[in-house]
């Protein structure tokens, strides 16, 4: 089953307390697509300008990512610049240049319209709606979002929740969106707006997964001493999660989602080990499986006599 992924494709400038790198491949769809490609073929929808380096196209093609839905137009590619503080959970956006993104309308080529598994990676909610308007047979739709859209496009985001099966967001965004400080209450409030499942990411503290009443799973983040660039961790998580679900096929249930959350978390742990997609693109299946097993071992416990 291919996964349809729509989102941003960017050239990023990233500064961390240790290093600064310019003109990196970034964007929610780039990370999501490469992560999903470890499990299943990907159909990508996005836009780049004429300055987009051909080596990035080659990387996406090498991962079996279908680029028929990638619009290549005159002008400059979307650019984003961010700086991480000593606490790498804290990030400031330094600049955003929309460029070709300003006039982007995601169009699905005919072969994409039959996609059953769809990741609406982080872009404006109106564009996420436009993708769903064209999808003919969606079975499992996951949406990601960010604080910007909660601030400036909340109505559209709320309407989107009625059309998706799962929302992924981070803890701060869940609080901002719902006005609830308690994450269990925040997840309940989001589920009441539509999606059956909610994943709340807590950075280095892992992820909470919520389903129907009583369905709850907490997944630790894979512990890392060397964290180089957290950019795209959330997008990688989402791509890995949807890619795994598509490869599994069949109806999505909570036990499948628990596994998907583990795969997403493990892929994100590789992604943050280097800038841009430099580490993510070199992972192999045996490394992914090894970290899944380590996570399993470190998070299970037995209490004798209970
Ligand atoms: P994350 O670290 O998961 O928040 O994702 C970081 C990626 O999101 C970067 O590679 C950026 O290029 C991209 N990005 C930043 N701002 C936006 C935006 N407003 N819309 C879409 N993508 C964005």
């Amino acid at each position: 089953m291919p996964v349809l992924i729509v989102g941003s494709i960017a050239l990023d400038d990233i500064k961390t307390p240790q290093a600064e790198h310019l003109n990196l491949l970034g964007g929610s769809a780039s990370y999501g697509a490469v992560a999903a490609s470890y499990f299943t073929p990907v159909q990508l929808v996005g836009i780049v300008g004429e300055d987009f380096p051909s080596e990035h196209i080659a990387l996406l093609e090498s991962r079996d990512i279908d680029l028929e839905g990638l619009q290549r137009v005159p002008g400059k590619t979307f650019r984003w610049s961010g700086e991480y503080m000593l606490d790498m959970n804290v990030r400031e956006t330094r600049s955003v240049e929309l460029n070709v993104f300003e006039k982007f309308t995601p169009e699905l080529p005919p072969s994409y319209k039959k996609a059953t598994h769809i990741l609406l990676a982080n872009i404006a909610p109106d564009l996420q709606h436009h993708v769903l308007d064209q999808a003919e047979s969606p079975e499992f739709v996951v949406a990601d979002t960010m604080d910007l859209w909660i601030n400036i496009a909340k109505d559209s985001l709320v309407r989107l929740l009625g059309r998706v099966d799962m929302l992924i967001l981070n803890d701060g965004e869940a609080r901002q969106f719902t006005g609830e400080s308690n994450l269990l209450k925040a997840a309940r409030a989001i589920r009441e707006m539509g999606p059956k499942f909610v994943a709340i990411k807590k950075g280095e503290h892992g992820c909470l997964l919520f389903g129907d009443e009583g369905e709850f799973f907490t997944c630790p983040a894979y512990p890392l001493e060397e964290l180089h660039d957290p950019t795209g961790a959330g997008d990688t998580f989402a791509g890995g999660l949807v890619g795994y679900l598509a490869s599994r096929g069949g109806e999505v249930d909570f036990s499948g989602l628990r596994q998907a959350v583990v795969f997403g978390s493990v892929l994100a742990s590789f992604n943050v080990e280097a800038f841009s997609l430099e580490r993510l693109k070199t992972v192999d299946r045996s490394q992914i499986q090894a970290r899944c097993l380590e996570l399993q071992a470190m998070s299970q416990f037995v209490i004798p006599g209970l």
Side-chain angles (χ1 to χ4, degrees):
M1 295 278 188
V3 169
L4 167 62
I5 298 183
V6 60
S8 61
I9 298 171
L11 295 174
D12 289 346
D13 296 338
I14 310 282
K15 188 170 189 298
T16 70
Q18 290 81 33
E20 181 166 15
H21 291 279
L22 308 178
N23 285 317
L24 301 168
L25 173 60
S28 57
S30 310
Y31 286 104
V34 172
S37 74
Y38 282 98
F39 302 102
T40 199
V42 175
Q43 298 172 323
L44 183 67
V45 177
I47 189 166
V48 295
E50 56 209 349
D51 57 348
F52 194 67
S54 54
E55 77 211 51
H56 298 337
I57 299 279
L59 165 65
L60 298 171
E61 280 173 340
S62 74
R63 297 287 330 154
D64 198 12
I65 295 169
D66 182 343
L67 299 183
E68 198 189 340
L70 177 66
Q71 301 171 25
R72 282 167 257 202
V73 300
K76 284 187 177 172
T77 301
F78 172 61
R79 296 195 68 103
W80 176 79
S81 169
E83 176 172 357
Y84 291 90
M85 306 302 138
L86 191 60
D87 174 354
M88 296 261 246
N89 290 310
V90 182
R91 176 174 83 188
E92 267 176 23
T93 292
R94 296 206 294 187
S95 65
V96 179
E97 289 172 36
L98 290 177
N99 298 328
V100 295
F101 217 48
E102 206 160 2
K103 295 210 163 66
F104 177 47
T105 306
E107 298 299 347
L108 304 193
S111 62
Y112 287 27
K113 292 187 177 173
K114 305 241 172 314
T116 53
H117 292 70
I118 301 176
L119 171 59
L120 305 171
N122 176 31
I123 43 167
D126 281 353
L127 300 183
Q128 294 175 315
H129 276 287
H130 188 64
V131 169
L132 289 186
D133 290 343
Q134 299 165 72
E136 289 169 0
S137 43
E139 285 175 19
F140 197 76
V141 180
V142 177
D144 195 353
T145 195
M146 72 186 292
D147 52 355
L148 174 69
W149 311 123
I150 298 170
N151 282 329
I152 69 168
K154 191 167 179 183
D155 288 352
S156 180
L157 186 57
V158 169
R159 272 189 292 110
L160 186 78
L161 293 191
R163 307 182 70 186
V164 304
D165 300 283
M166 179 170 190
L167 181 71
I168 298 178
L169 71 182
N170 70 33
D171 46 359
E173 291 159 354
R175 292 189 174 104
Q176 177 195 359
F177 189 40
T178 61
E180 293 282 3
S181 61
N182 179 289
L183 293 179
L184 278 69
K185 288 185 178 164
R188 182 188 296 281
I190 293 168
R191 289 189 61 249
E192 282 169 1
M193 290 184 234
K196 186 165 180 206
F197 304 106
V198 177
I200 299 184
K201 299 164 292 173
K202 300 192 298 164
E204 64 183 321
H205 305 297
C207 169
L208 307 176
L209 174 67
F210 300 85
D212 280 337
E213 215 50 55
E215 288 182 329
F216 174 74
F217 176 56
T218 171
C219 179
Y222 184 84
L224 289 171
E225 276 194 33
E226 294 293 329
L227 171 77
H228 288 282
D229 175 15
T231 308
D235 311 310
T236 303
F237 170 84
L241 179 144
V242 183
Y244 173 73
L245 291 173
S247 71
R248 215 169 165 258
E251 193 160 343
V252 174
D253 59 12
F254 202 72
S255 84
L257 261 181
R258 288 165 70 117
Q259 295 158 23
V261 162
V262 172
F263 278 108
S265 302
V266 162
L267 277 166
S269 76
F270 286 110
N271 182 58
V272 302
E273 288 184 318
F275 278 76
S276 184
L277 288 91
E278 289 303 305
R279 179 70 182 104
L280 186 62
K281 73 183 185 189
T282 63
V283 180
D284 66 40
R285 284 198 74 94
S286 64
Q287 292 171 318
I288 296 170
Q289 285 167 5
R291 276 200 185 173
C292 285
L293 288 173
E294 281 185 76
L295 260 195
Q296 178 174 287
M298 68 181 72
S299 54
Q300 69 187 181
F301 58 87
V302 175
I303 300 177
L306 280 188

